[in-house]
């Protein structure tokens, strides 16, 4: 897979890693109350922005990833490592950290 442009930075995740952009949650409750930033939990949903080539098996072959850029995913609360590129926050995580894919 080719490098992906994120802002003005080009990044290529290695092996079975993904670059994920969090999907922001609603800022108000169903009853219309606004939730301050200090009370919000970080969302556990995101969109895959870039992916590595795949996991290297013990025999040296590469197992391709199931996820593609644009896939909406669910991940664990503490999954991944937060990074900041060009003023935007992203997560780098392994495909194993993904709990599921959201489908329309």
């Amino acid at each position: 897979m080719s490098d992906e442009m994120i802002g003005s930075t080009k990044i290529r995740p290695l092996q079975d890693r993904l670059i994920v952009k969090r999907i922001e949650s609603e800022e108000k409750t169903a009853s219309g109350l606004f939730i301050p930033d200090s009370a919000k939990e970080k969302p556990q949903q995101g969109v895959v922005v870039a992916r590595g080539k795949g996991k290297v098996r013990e025999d040296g072959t590469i197992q391709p990833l199931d996820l593609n850029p644009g896939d909406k995913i669910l991940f664990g609360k503490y999954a991944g490592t937060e990074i900041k590129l060009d003023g935007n926050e992203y997560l780098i995580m392994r495909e194993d950290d993904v709990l599921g894919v959201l489908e329309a």
Side-chain angles (χ1 to χ4, degrees):
M1 168 163 245
S2 62
D3 299 348
E4 296 291 329
M5 288 295 291
I6 299 175
S8 61
T9 304
K10 193 179 267 195
I11 187 167
R12 181 176 53 93
L14 299 176
Q15 296 183 359
D16 65 333
R17 289 182 177 83
L18 306 165
I19 306 291
V20 176
K21 175 87 172 143
R22 287 186 194 266
I23 297 174
E24 294 302 321
S25 60
E26 291 289 321
E27 294 191 9
K28 64 180 180 176
T29 64
S31 61
L33 297 175
F34 284 93
I35 303 170
D37 287 337
S38 60
K40 283 192 224 174
E41 286 197 23
K42 292 197 175 188
Q44 294 174 267
Q45 297 179 18
V47 175
V48 176
V49 177
R51 68 179 190 157
K53 293 184 181 198
K55 189 171 192 167
V56 178
R57 297 181 183 156
E58 288 184 23
D59 64 2
T61 60
I62 295 178
Q63 175 182 343
L65 300 179
D66 290 332
L67 298 169
N68 294 305
D71 286 347
K72 291 183 182 180
I73 60 169
L74 292 173
F75 50 86
K77 193 173 199 172
Y78 301 106
T81 301
E82 293 183 359
I83 61 168
K84 200 168 203 175
L85 291 172
D86 297 332
N88 295 311
E89 292 184 14
Y90 298 94
L91 288 169
I92 295 180
M93 67 178 66
R94 292 189 179 274
E95 188 179 45
D96 291 345
D97 292 334
V98 176
L99 302 175
V101 178
L102 297 170
E103 296 182 2

